[in-house]
């Protein structure tokens, strides 16, 4: 166990890169921004509410461990932003990435004066600048600062939201959470700006000699000499920061000149396309620079593996994978040295390769959805098969046979859709349906059981409709099993199909076959039964051998699928 924990820790450390550090530091700063904006929003209530909110805000963020974490995050995030300006050679054709970088680098320039005037003034001179003093400065003393404050609030918030979007869009829950995140992204800054406005108007309305005597004392705002010192520090800090940006830009230019002097390399894409690029560019950057479509869901951040390439020929001269690249390749289960991440590989010699993922997969609208590219997740798989279709076809015209089979598959599909599942694959007179793409495990299991019952009801109606044409009623078999599967687009070029792969899918097919030997309509794995919340004695139990498995599997049988709604509803009522 200790060895396993050590291996897991080592693997986690290997997965840490500068991008992960920048993400964590950005999350700390975004948490501070949310706290500060919520504090601003209290201005819509009253100045007393603002005062109470800022007390709690400062009590938390000036707590020594939290304060150290916050200021370290500020320095690290700013430094990594400047490094990203230098390091990034090529942006994607979408504007969101350069926009995020420009907005992020603008924030320090806009908040330096505010930070030094409030926080450093408190540290050096013991100033107590709270909302009344800051709002007076913006709304009375220097009204132009109103627009500066609104600008920095907007820029900082948009920068943080873009960062969160680029991170969370890869998560399975993002599609469900997106409407709530969007609502928060709009409401929080809107309420904060309204609170800033209401607080400012309150200060303007109450401005008088008595108010100034009470709120603009030397203890609160300091002396002219102290303010002059803070202004000089602000100027020096701004010049220093702009100097760092200038150095990064000069270094980018020097690197470009040096790369061209060192020579060019040829990249061959395995389809006859060859480009010449300076040494030092990654394969993905080379593709983007030369408008060569290249799949990359995460935008070259080494958070996915969709930009993978396979090297053609000798790969011994290539640079070793970085820790982050090795971590990602390890996660997808490849140890082949010829498979590399295009966003991380920077060849120093000519290179031939081909892409493992077709570029149009990421460009046709699926690229923003990692599930379409490939993802491991828990699904409930249902196989449904029509019994006796071969015998049915023997004594019927082809058109009649196709008509009946299509009506059967239509009845099954309607039941699956009505229950919350997704009809996935049609193989002859059978169908694979998936449950759990957007629901919890428990709900997915219950949906599958409801679908089985609804299939039985729909087939009954179909039998009544076709009773004059059928010598015997249509019968069916259903196998239901849950487990971890791989979902994604499978196929070639224009023949891509979204489907699920894995042992859990194969077992569902085996269970469907067992309905014949067990003389029942539905065979369900015991895991699905338990996850759905059905009692252990609700259904007959069988220990069966599954081809390809070493140990017997416990399954449950349902002779008549029409009895399932009563069992599922009964358990839900008991749970409630």
């Amino acid at each position: 166990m200790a060895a396993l924990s050590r291996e897991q820790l080592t693997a986690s450390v290997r997965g840490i890169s500068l991008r992960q550090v920048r993400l964590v530091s950005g999350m700390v700063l975004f948490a501070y921004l949310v706290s500060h904006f919520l504090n601003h929003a209290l201005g819509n209530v009253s100045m007393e509410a603002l005062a109470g909110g800022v007390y709690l805000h400062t009590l938390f963020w000036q707590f020594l461990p939290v304060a150290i974490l916050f200021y370290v995050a500020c320095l690290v995030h700013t430094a990594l932003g400047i490094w990203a300006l230098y390091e990034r050679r090529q942006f994607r054709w979408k504007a969101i990435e350069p926009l995020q970088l420009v907005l992020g680098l603008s924030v320090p320039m806009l908040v330096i004066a505010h930070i030094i005037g409030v926080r450093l003034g408190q540290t050096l001179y013991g100033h107590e600048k709270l909302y009344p003093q800051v709002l007076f400065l913006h709304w009375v003393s220097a009204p132009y600062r109103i627009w500066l404050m609104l600008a920095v609030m907007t820029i900082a918030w948009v920068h943080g939201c873009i960062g969160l979007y680029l991170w969370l869009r890869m998560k399975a829950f993002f599609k469900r959470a997106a409407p709530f995140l969007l609502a928060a992204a709009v409401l929080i800054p809107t309420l904060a700006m309204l609170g800033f406005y209401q607080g400012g108007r309150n200060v303007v309305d109450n401005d008088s000699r008595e108010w100034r005597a009470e709120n603009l004392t030397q203890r609160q705002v300091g002396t002219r000499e102290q303010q002059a010192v803070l202004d000089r520090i602000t100027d020096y800090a701004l010049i220093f920061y702009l100097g760092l940006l200038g150095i990064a830009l000069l270094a980018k230019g020097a690197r470009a000149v040096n790369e061209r002097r060192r020579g060019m390399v040829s990249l061959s894409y395995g389809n006859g396309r060859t480009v010449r690029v300076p040494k030092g560019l990654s394969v993905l950057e080379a593709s983007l620079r030369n408008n060569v479509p290249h799949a990359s869901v995460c935008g070259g951040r080494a958070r996915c593996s969709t930009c993978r390439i396979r090297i053609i020929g000798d790969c011994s001269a290539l640079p070793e994978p970085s820790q982050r690249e090795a971590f990602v390749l390890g996660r997808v289960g490849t140890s082949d040295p010829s498979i590399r991440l295009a966003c991380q590989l920077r060849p120093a010699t000519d290179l031939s390769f081909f892409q493992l993922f077709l570029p149009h997969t990421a460009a046709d609208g699926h690229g923003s959805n990692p599930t379409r590219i490939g993802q491991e997740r828990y699904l409930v798989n249902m196989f449904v098969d029509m019994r006796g279709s071969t015998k049915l076809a023997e004594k019927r015209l082809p058109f009649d046979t196709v008509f009946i089979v299509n009506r059967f598959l239509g009845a099954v599909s309607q039941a699956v859709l009505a229950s919350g599942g997704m009809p996935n694959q049609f193989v002859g007179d059978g169908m694979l349906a998936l449950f759990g793409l957007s629901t919890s495990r428990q709900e997915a299991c219950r949906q599958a059981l409801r679908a089985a019952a609804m299939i039985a009801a729909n087939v009954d109606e179909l039998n009544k409709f076709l009773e004059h044409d059928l010598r015997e009623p249509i019968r069916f078999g259903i196998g239901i099993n849950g487990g971890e599967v791989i979902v994604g687009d499978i196929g070639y070029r224009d023949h891509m199909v979204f489907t699920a792969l894995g042992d859990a899918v194969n077992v569902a097919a085996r269970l469907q076959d067992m309905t014949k030997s067990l003389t029942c309509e539905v065979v369900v794995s015991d895991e699905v039964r338990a996850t759905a919340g059905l009692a252990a004695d609700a259904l007959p139990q069988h220990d069966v051998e599954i081809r390809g498995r070493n140990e017997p599997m416990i399954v449950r049988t349902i002779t008549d699928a029409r009895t399932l709604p009563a069992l599922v509803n009964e358990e839900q009522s008991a749970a409630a």
Side-chain angles (χ1 to χ4, degrees), residues 383 385 387 477-479 506-519 523 547:
F383 261 98
D385 185 65
R387 296 285 180 257
I478 300 175
N506 299 331
V507 170
R510 305 279 187 272
L511 298 186
Q512 181 273 130
D513 287 336
M514 288 183 183
T515 57
K516 303 172 185 176
S517 59
L518 294 176
T519 319
V523 176
R547 189 168 72 250

Side-chain angles (χ1 to χ4, degrees), residues 285-460:
E285 289 168 342
S287 298
L288 299 180
R289 176 174 291 190
N290 291 276
N291 296 319
V292 178
H294 202 129
S296 178
V297 171
C298 72
R301 290 172 168 79
R303 295 178 186 166
C304 72
S305 64
T306 54
C307 67
R308 268 180 289 167
I309 58 175
R310 181 183 291 277
I311 309 302
I312 302 173
D314 184 19
C315 55
S316 59
L318 295 178
E320 291 294 321
S322 65
Q323 284 192 347
R324 181 62 188 175
E325 183 181 3
F327 172 77
V328 174
L329 292 175
R331 284 291 299 273
V332 297
T334 180
S335 58
D336 188 343
S338 67
I339 297 180
R340 300 293 297 269
L341 295 185
C343 66
Q344 302 296 302
L345 177 59
R346 300 180 185 276
T349 59
D350 294 348
L351 188 69
S352 295
F353 62 90
F354 62 86
Q355 302 176 41
L356 295 185
F357 288 96
L358 296 176
H360 74 83
T361 302
D364 64 1
H366 295 167
S368 60
N369 185 352
T371 304
R372 308 294 304 204
I373 299 296
Q375 187 182 77
E376 184 176 5
R377 61 186 303 170
Y378 182 93
L379 291 182
V380 177
N381 313 282
M382 170 191 283
F383 261 98
V384 186
D385 185 65
M386 179 180 177
R387 296 285 180 257
S389 59
T390 303
K391 183 178 179 181
L392 179 71
E394 289 178 352
K395 298 181 179 181
R396 292 185 179 275
L397 294 173
F399 175 84
D400 294 333
T401 302
V402 171
F403 173 78
I404 293 173
V405 171
N406 280 336
R407 292 300 297 264
F408 170 76
L409 293 177
V412 173
S413 299
Q414 289 175 6
V416 170
L417 290 170
S419 302
M422 185 185 80
N424 185 250
Q425 289 189 41
F426 296 93
V427 182
D429 59 357
M431 187 189 79
L432 167 65
L434 305 177
F435 298 84
L437 288 167
S438 59
T439 58
S440 65
R441 294 189 179 193
Q442 184 181 52
E443 182 59 25
C445 293
R446 289 176 175 172
Q447 286 177 348
L449 295 176
R450 294 192 197 100
M454 199 173 295
I455 288 171
N458 288 355
V459 172
D460 280 347

Side-chain angles (χ1 to χ4, degrees), residues 39-40 42-44 46-48 50-51 114 118 128-146 149-150 153 192-207 211 215-216 221:
N39 197 171
H40 285 354
L42 293 176
N44 295 297
S46 66
M47 289 298 291
E48 290 74 18
L50 270 177
H114 181 69
V118 176
E128 296 181 4
K129 290 182 181 178
L130 300 175
Y131 272 103
Q133 293 74 37
V134 173
L135 291 173
F136 179 84
L137 173 64
H138 286 77
W139 287 83
V140 179
S141 180
Y144 73 90
R145 294 193 179 216
I146 296 175
M149 177 61 72
L150 293 177
M153 290 173 69
M193 291 180 185
L194 287 174
F196 174 70
Y197 171 80
Q198 295 293 349
R201 296 308 307 168
N202 185 282
V203 169
V204 171
D205 293 341
N206 290 298
D207 184 25
W211 187 92
N215 292 280
L216 303 180
V221 299

Side-chain angles (χ1 to χ4, degrees), residues 158-226:
V158 172
H159 170 74
C161 287
I162 291 176
L164 281 178
Y165 166 74
L166 292 176
W167 173 48
L168 293 178
R169 66 176 178 166
M170 303 293 295
K171 308 298 182 182
F173 64 83
F174 180 73
K175 186 176 180 180
R176 298 192 300 273
F180 304 101
L181 294 175
L182 178 60
V186 173
L187 286 176
I188 291 177
T190 301
L191 292 175
M193 291 180 185
L194 287 174
F196 174 70
Y197 171 80
Q198 295 293 349
R201 296 308 307 168
N202 185 282
V203 169
V204 171
D205 293 341
N206 290 298
D207 184 25
S208 63
R209 184 175 299 176
E210 294 78 11
W211 187 92
R212 295 190 182 191
E214 180 182 351
N215 292 280
L216 303 180
T217 63
Q218 183 174 323
R219 175 180 59 84
Q220 293 168 316
V221 299
T223 64
R224 292 181 180 273
E225 292 76 12
Q226 292 172 346

